């Protein structure tokens, strides 16, 4: 019986491998043999989770044709991977990916670093900050005071607690977007909201247009739901959406859904202006595409002179085109798994009905905590603490990266939690791999793209500051030197760092 659970085609694997562009070798630098480079490339894809474990690889002849190399080269690469524990084979069943015994399974998303590794590895993988105290404690205490009446009920509120739905509707109305509680559904984080929307609107095989780059975990969620992702390239730097490309994709591909982050885009940090928002809504309406707008970063404007545009749903007064997703996770705390959807009442009813076959509802205590924050003014004070943390971390990280890695390029965003960095011609995937060994965890650019795009980038979140930011940049510089000199195959031990 075959041990593989999925398959990777020769053309797809070739695209992923060809995206791993190497920096031109300098004088005296030895290039690895072709089979070794191929084996390293496949191993790297497995370690990053871009090729899943237990995925059947193409036959040697098929991959050789797709890569324009000899079959002998592919056979030698497969043999090297088998010797290292990254490939298993059986006559008649083919070859499939694996990981050596004792190694953790690679993550396909951006999971937080395990607590036991925090003493030796600086985690730049997850764009999340510690809770803004004392507001978390106060919110939980306030929730417990409000809990007794709810404890006498069944506790299942598929649409969310009525009090929180009303509070969220009032906040949209205060922003100039008239909203009724019937237009709100509370979810288990923004991921839960988008998962529910995808299942309602985009069945397996449906097209979903996404920004390129886009948020890695959402891209993976959509892939695993069976969606066909249609990437739409972002404009350079912080310019935001390229509207000519968006109009063309929406017209030609006619995707069922489009997913965008208009406010301090993850990962680039771009802020879409009002004209871009209006034009995108018009284009989506003309194409019959439902526009899913992720507002999780909308309150994280870090520079005081930033003027926030109207929400995207403000350009859809009929409510027929835009579905808005919000969350407490980025603006307040990732451990507060409360998100919400704002949409037309009929869409909310459909989402609530479908929820009976998913998670039934969102935890009551967390909803009460968020409602306490929103109703007492604690939210605004907590978010201001969050902005101050992120602003200080951003400035420290920018200064440290410019000092340690002057060849890396980036535009400094005016809000959000992420820096999108071009790595001076080096492979972001290899920097990520070596970085773990020298004590810094960073996600590579291809996690934020489709089919291997953005190999020359990494994403750096504003989660560390001060001396930790300095040390993180120093470790990234050490990883970059190892990649550049081709000396990245060792087993460098990470240094212990005490904040």
């Amino acid at each position: 019986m075959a041990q593989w659970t999925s398959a990777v085609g020769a053309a797809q694997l070739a695209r992923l491998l060809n995206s791993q562009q190497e920096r031109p070798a300098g004088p005296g630098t030895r290039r690895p043999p072709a089979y070794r480079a191929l084996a390293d490339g496949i191993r790297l894809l497995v370690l990053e989770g871009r090729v899943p474990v237990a995925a059947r690889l193409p036959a040697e002849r098929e991959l050789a044709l797709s890569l324009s190399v000899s079959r002998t080269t592919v056979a030698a690469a497969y043999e090297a991977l088998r010797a290292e524990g990254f490939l298993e084979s059986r006559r008649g069943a083919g070859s499939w990916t694996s990981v050596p015994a004792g190694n953790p399974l690679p993550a396909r998303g951006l999971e937080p670093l395990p607590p036991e590794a925090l003493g030796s590895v600086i985690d730049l993988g997850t764009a999340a900050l510690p809770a803004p105290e004392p507001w978390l404690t106060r919110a939980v205490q306030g929730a417990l005071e409000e809990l007794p009446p709810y404890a006498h009920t069944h506790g299942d509120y598929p649409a969310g607690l009525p009090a929180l739905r009303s509070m969220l509707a009032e906040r949209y109305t205060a922003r100039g977007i008239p909203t009724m509680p019937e237009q709100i559904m509370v979810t288990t984080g923004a991921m839960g909201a988008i998962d529910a929307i995808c299942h309602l609107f985009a069945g397996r095989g449906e097209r979903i247009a996404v920004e390129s780059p886009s948020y890695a975990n959402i891209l993976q969620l959509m892939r695993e739901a069976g969606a066909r992702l249609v990437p739409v390239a972002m404009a350079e730097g912080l310019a935001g959406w390229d509207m000519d490309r968006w109009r063309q994709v929406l017209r030609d591909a006619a995707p069922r859904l489009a997913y965008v982050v208009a406010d301090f885009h993850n990962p680039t940090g771009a802020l879409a202006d009002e004209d871009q928002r209006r034009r995108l809504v018009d284009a989506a309406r003309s194409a019959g595409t439902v526009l899913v707008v992720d507002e999780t970063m909308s309150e994280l404007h870090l520079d005081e002179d930033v003027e926030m545009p109207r929400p995207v749903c403000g350009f859809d007064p009929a409510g027929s085109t835009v579905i808005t997703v919000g969350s407490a996770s980025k603006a307040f705390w990732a451990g507060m798994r409360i998100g919400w959807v704002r949409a037309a009442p009929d869409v909310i009813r459909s989402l609530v009905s479908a929820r009976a076959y998913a998670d039934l509802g969102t935890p009551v205590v967390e909803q009460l905590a968020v409602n306490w924050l929103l109703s007492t003014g604690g939210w605004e004070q907590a978010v201001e603490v969050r902005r101050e943390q992120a602003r200080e971390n951003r400035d420290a990280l920018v200064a440290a990266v410019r000092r340690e890695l002057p060849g890396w390029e980036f535009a400094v965003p005016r809000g959000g939690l992420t820096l999108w960095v071009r790595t001076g011609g080096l492979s972001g995937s290899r920097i990520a791999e070596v970085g773990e060994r020298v004590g810094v965890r960073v996600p590579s650019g291809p996690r934020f793209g489709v089919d291997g795009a953005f190999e020359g980038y990494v994403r750096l979140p504003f989660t560390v500051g001060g001396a930790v930011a300095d040390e993180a940049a120093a470790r990234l510089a050490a990883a970059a030197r190892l990649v550049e000199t081709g000396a990245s195959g060792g087993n460098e031990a990470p240094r212990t760092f005490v904040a």
Side-chain angles (χ1 to χ4, degrees):
M1 179 178 176
Q3 301 298 307
W4 50 272
T5 57
S6 62
V8 180
Q12 179 188 7
L13 184 57
R15 285 196 303 272
L16 292 170
L17 289 165
N18 287 332
S19 73
Q20 298 174 334
Q21 296 299 323
E22 294 282 357
R23 192 186 185 104
T29 302
R30 296 179 59 187
R31 289 185 178 276
Y35 85 90
R36 184 68 260 173
L38 176 55
D40 287 347
I42 295 173
R43 176 175 56 84
L44 193 58
L45 292 173
V46 173
L47 287 172
E48 281 210 312
R50 290 160 60 201
V51 169
V53 174
R56 186 180 187 274
L57 295 187
E60 295 170 2
R61 188 185 302 277
E62 294 175 6
L63 186 58
L65 287 172
S66 292
L67 292 173
S68 299
V69 299
S70 71
R71 182 177 177 181
T72 302
T73 296
V74 176
Y78 279 14
E79 182 57 37
L81 290 168
R82 278 190 287 269
E84 295 164 4
F86 286 94
L87 197 68
E88 296 183 23
S89 302
R90 182 173 300 160
R91 186 177 297 277
S95 299
W96 56 92
T97 57
S98 61
V99 293
N103 282 34
L105 287 175
R108 304 202 72 188
L110 303 179
E111 288 77 9
L113 193 69
E116 60 270 18
L118 292 177
S120 59
V121 179
I122 298 175
D123 186 10
L124 295 181
T126 304
L129 290 163
E133 288 288 26
W135 302 109
L136 174 62
T137 299
R138 292 180 182 177
V140 173
Q141 290 171 342
L144 293 177
E145 292 174 2
E146 298 292 331
L147 182 61
Y150 296 93
H152 294 292
T153 73
H154 49 63
D156 286 336
Y157 296 87
L161 294 184
L164 181 54
R165 296 176 73 196
S166 295
M167 182 59 65
L168 292 168
E170 288 176 16
R171 288 178 65 84
Y172 278 105
T173 301
R175 294 168 68 189
I177 315 297
T179 303
M180 304 178 295
E182 292 79 9
Q183 292 177 262
I184 301 292
M185 181 177 84
V186 181
T187 63
T188 307
M191 292 286 289
I194 294 168
D195 183 54
I197 293 166
C198 288
H199 279 88
L200 179 63
F201 285 94
R204 185 166 293 275
E206 291 275 8
R207 295 186 181 92
I208 301 179
V210 295
E211 297 151 324
S212 183
S214 186
Y215 179 36
N217 285 344
I218 293 295
L219 295 181
Q220 191 59 34
L221 181 155
M222 292 174 175
R223 289 187 189 102
E224 293 186 359
R228 297 163 61 191
L229 301 184
V230 182
V232 186
M234 297 283 287
E236 284 296 314
L238 300 177
W241 300 326
D242 184 324
M243 288 312 306
D244 290 337
R245 288 174 176 165
W246 268 107
R247 276 196 302 271
Q248 180 179 354
V249 167
L250 293 179
R251 182 183 64 244
D252 296 347
R256 185 70 182 94
L257 287 180
Y259 168 77
V260 297
V261 184
D263 302 304
F264 308 119
H265 174 259
N266 185 356
T268 69
L271 176 64
D273 61 34
E274 290 209 359
D275 182 60
Q276 290 173 321
R277 295 169 189 236
R278 180 185 298 105
R279 292 166 64 191
L280 184 56
V281 172
D282 290 344
R285 184 183 297 116
S286 297
T289 297
V290 175
L291 190 60
V292 181
V293 180
D294 186 335
E295 285 191 336
T296 54
M297 297 282 191
S298 64
E299 298 196 57
L300 293 176
H301 43 88
L302 305 185
D303 296 335
E304 293 185 1
D305 58 343
V306 174
E307 293 188 15
M308 292 300 295
R310 276 189 292 167
V312 177
C313 58
F315 300 96
D316 180 37
S320 59
T321 300
V322 176
I323 297 177
T324 303
V325 172
S327 172
S329 296
K330 298 299 185 184
F332 185 73
W333 184 47
M336 189 69 76
R337 303 304 305 159
I338 299 295
W340 53 86
V341 178
R342 181 202 180 272
D346 63 315
V347 172
I348 295 298
R349 286 192 295 270
S350 297
L351 288 170
V352 171
S353 296
R355 196 171 196 180
Y357 309 103
D359 63 355
L360 294 178
T362 303
V364 170
V365 174
E366 284 87 339
Q367 291 187 72
L368 289 171
V370 171
N371 190 62
W372 183 92
L373 287 165
L374 295 174
S375 61
T376 62
W379 179 270
E380 284 72 21
Q381 296 178 67
V383 170
E384 187 53 46
V385 171
R386 171 67 75 240
R387 291 191 192 112
E388 184 177 351
Q389 283 180 307
R391 184 185 307 117
E392 292 176 355
N393 288 354
R394 178 196 64 180
D395 296 346
L397 188 63
V398 164
V401 172
R402 282 177 171 166
R403 181 179 63 252
E404 298 287 344
L405 293 149
W408 287 19
E409 303 172 32
F410 52 86
V412 181
R414 308 193 68 193
L417 288 172
T418 56
L419 199 65
W420 185 236
V421 182
R422 193 192 302 266
T423 53
L426 298 177
S427 162
S429 297
R430 297 186 186 280
I431 288 171
E433 181 193 20
V434 177
E436 293 247 8
R437 296 205 302 271
V438 300
V440 59
R441 182 173 184 256
V442 58
S444 65
R447 288 179 176 249
F448 303 87
V450 176
D451 277 346
F454 307 111
E455 183 59 52
Y457 290 81
V458 294
R459 189 196 73 171
L460 305 180
F462 312 145
T463 53
V464 296
V468 185
D470 293 339
E471 179 68 12
R475 295 184 186 189
L476 282 173
R481 287 192 295 272
L482 289 170
V483 172
E484 189 167 19
T485 59
S488 57
N491 294 302
E492 298 82 1
R495 294 174 288 171
T496 300
F497 180 77
V498 179

